[in-house]
């Protein structure tokens, strides 16, 4: 048995066994998961790339290419394959949805699939916590693949620093029936299967939709690729690198930390959190400053507020 302390030190040393244990803990929401996440939070290194799009769009084929790309530059790569429709979670068992077998024996590639069981914050909370574990273990980037273009996927996509929306020719009606605003979830819209006919129509359609985007919103880049034959991939990597260069990695982690704190407060149903933030830390502004300075993690805040709330309930109850 690994103790929580062993797991924490194992993660920062990149131990695969420690990473696997930590992922089970965060997925199942065991009580010490929050301490673990607090302890490793500052060790996060890289950035996260979300890949989302309809079933069969070629997301896994693209992720496979991405793994090769980052492995060639010496990085370790983490992949979380999310299936919102599956209750199944955990383990290295991968359905045939995941076409990354060429990396299955590479110890510097960690692939995990996740369904929707366990975690208090639902799938997006579990995915966020899992990506923190992988990032703290030195996997850079962590790639999150989600199938679909519904609410859950949009939420999961929103966790990533850079989000790729993958579309393909022949979606026709599907693309058009996608909810308004779906195009806006991608920082980059990848038009995959450029080797297929219908790619020009798709590009025209996507560009026309983007022209309707409200002014002031950042327009995503549109890149045409064939994940199957490799065409256009250099352009895509260029677009990804340009985006990832706009913030330093530390910057990204701290920025997302404030978002994470708000999610944790919500997930744990901490009522009156503004009041509690006031009592415990002199208010939200101070907390955010401490988080942005890297002096406090969102998990530590969540834990403190929960403890405070419990004390208040006990106190009231004993009167
Ligand atoms: N012609 C062509 N086929 C492709 C391309 N990219 C992927 N495919 C094929 O499309 C099919 C689906 O690819 P996947 O990578 O599994 O797609 P996915 O989006 O991950 O699928 P789900 O995870 O099931 O939603 C496979 O048969 C791929 O070989 C491409 O650029 N061109
Ligand atoms: Mg897939």
């Amino acid at each position: 048995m690994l103790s929580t302390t062993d797991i924490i030190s194992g993660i920062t040393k990149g131990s695969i066994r420690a990473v696997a244990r930590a992922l089970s803990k965060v997925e199942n929401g065991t009580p010490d998961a929050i301490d673990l996440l607090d302890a490793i939070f500052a060790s996060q290194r890289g950035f996260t790339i979300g890949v989302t799009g309809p079933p069969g769009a070629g997301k896994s084929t693209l992720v496979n290419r991405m793994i090769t790309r980052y492995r060639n530059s010496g990085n370790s790569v983490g992949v979380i394959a999310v299936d919102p429709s599956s209750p199944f979670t955990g383990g290295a068992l991968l359905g045939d949805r995941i076409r990354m077998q060429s990396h299955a024996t590479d110890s510097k590639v960690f692939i995990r699939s996740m369904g929707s069981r366990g975690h208090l914050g639902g799938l997006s909370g579990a995915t966020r916590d899992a990506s923190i574990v992988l990032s703290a273990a030195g996997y850079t980037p962590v790639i999150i693949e989600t199938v679909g273009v519904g609410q859950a996927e949009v939420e999961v996509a929103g966790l990533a620093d850079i989000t790729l929306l993958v579309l393909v020719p022949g979606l026709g009606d599907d693309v058009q029936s996608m909810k308004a605003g779906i195009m806006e979830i991608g920082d980059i819209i990848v038009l995959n299967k450029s080797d297929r006919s219908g790619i020009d129509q798709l590009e025209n359609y996507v560009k026309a939709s983007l022209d309707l985007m409200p002014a002031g919103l950042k327009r995503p880049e549109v890149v045409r690729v064939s994940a199957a034959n490799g065409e256009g991939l250099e352009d895509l990597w260029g677009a990804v690198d340009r985006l990832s260069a706009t913030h330093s990695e530390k910057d990204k982690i701290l920025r997302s930390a404030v978002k994470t704190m708000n999610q944790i407060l919500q997930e744990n149903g901490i009522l009156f959190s503004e009041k509690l933030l006031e009592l415990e830390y002199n208010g939200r502004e101070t907390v955010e400053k401490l988080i942005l300075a890297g002096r406090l993690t969102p998990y530590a805040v969540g834990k403190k507020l929960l403890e405070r709330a419990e004390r208040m309930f006990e106190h009231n109850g004993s009167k």
Side-chain angles (χ1 to χ4, degrees):
M1 267 305 269
L2 288 176
S3 69
T4 305
T5 322
D6 293 338
I7 296 177
I8 291 166
S9 72
I11 289 172
T12 45
K13 288 185 201 117
S15 147
I16 292 175
R17 193 164 152 244
V19 170
R21 287 299 308 279
L23 289 176
S24 304
K25 280 181 188 289
V26 302
E27 281 171 355
N28 298 321
T30 56
D32 52 348
I34 195 160
D35 293 321
L36 196 144
L37 289 159
D38 179 30
I40 61 172
F41 197 83
S43 308
Q44 286 180 87
R45 318 231 175 290
F47 57 105
T48 46
I49 303 178
V51 179
T52 193
K59 300 177 293 298
S60 299
T61 311
L62 189 62
V63 170
N64 207 28
R65 293 278 189 180
M66 231 180 243
I67 297 173
T68 307
R69 180 208 183 199
Y70 287 105
R71 286 295 293 124
N72 285 343
S73 40
N75 297 32
S76 304
V77 182
V79 179
I80 304 174
V82 180
D83 186 348
S85 63
S86 158
F88 168 77
T89 180
L93 275 175
L94 292 169
D96 56 2
R97 309 199 83 124
I98 325 292
R99 283 167 237 272
M100 300 160 202
Q101 278 85 353
S102 48
H103 299 284
T105 53
D106 183 344
S107 65
K108 303 275 187 198
V109 179
F110 196 108
I111 302 175
R112 181 83 164 193
S113 63
M114 290 180 60
S116 52
R117 193 187 70 193
H119 196 282
L120 259 178
L123 197 51
S124 64
T127 308
R128 176 201 63 224
D129 291 351
S131 83
I132 290 171
V133 170
L134 290 178
S135 176
Y139 294 97
T140 313
V142 174
I143 304 169
I144 304 172
E145 176 184 335
T146 0
V147 61
V149 282
Q151 191 52 44
E153 300 73 45
V154 173
E155 257 175 50
V156 173
L159 296 169
D161 296 310
I162 300 171
T163 304
L164 274 50
L165 173 64
V166 184
L167 300 176
V168 282
L171 279 173
D173 292 345
D174 274 359
V175 177
Q176 288 166 54
S177 65
M178 278 180 196
K179 284 203 206 89
I182 201 70
M183 302 282 181
E184 292 153 28
I185 71 170
D187 298 303
I188 303 173
I189 297 183
V190 181
L191 308 178
N192 189 33
K193 309 200 184 180
S194 63
D195 52 295
R196 289 259 182 93
S197 64
I199 190 79
D200 291 329
Q201 291 94 304
L202 178 68
E203 180 160 2
N204 291 339
Y205 176 76
V206 166
K207 290 198 161 151
S209 307
L210 292 178
D211 285 339
L212 302 175
M213 265 177 74
L217 281 181
K218 194 165 171 276
R219 249 180 94 125
E221 277 197 58
V222 180
V223 189
R224 239 161 115 142
V225 306
S226 167
N229 71 24
E231 200 184 357
L233 288 176
E234 285 310 317
D235 294 340
L236 177 58
W237 306 153
V240 170
D241 290 348
R242 275 194 297 283
L243 273 172
S244 102
T246 51
H247 297 300
S248 79
E249 287 175 357
K250 184 149 192 235
D251 212 35
K252 271 182 246 164
I253 288 162
L254 296 176
R255 228 179 268 267
S256 78
V258 172
K259 214 160 79 180
T260 302
M261 177 186 77
N262 290 324
Q263 291 165 355
I264 292 169
L265 297 185
Q266 245 178 20
E267 287 161 18
N268 289 286
I270 303 182
L271 294 169
F272 317 118
S273 54
E274 297 305 321
K275 184 75 204 161
L276 287 169
L277 285 172
E278 195 74 47
L279 286 170
E280 200 65 47
Y281 295 102
N282 248 328
R284 166 175 291 269
E285 214 176 299
T286 317
V287 175
E288 290 188 355
K289 270 195 199 133
L290 289 170
I291 288 182
L292 289 171
R295 290 172 52 199
L296 201 57
T297 82
Y299 294 91
V301 176
K303 194 174 173 193
K304 259 248 154 77
L305 295 199
L306 269 179
E307 285 167 358
R308 181 107 194 189
E310 272 165 22
R311 282 204 305 278
M312 284 166 72
F313 278 122
E314 275 166 21
H315 182 69
N316 283 341
S318 65
K319 263 204 267 190

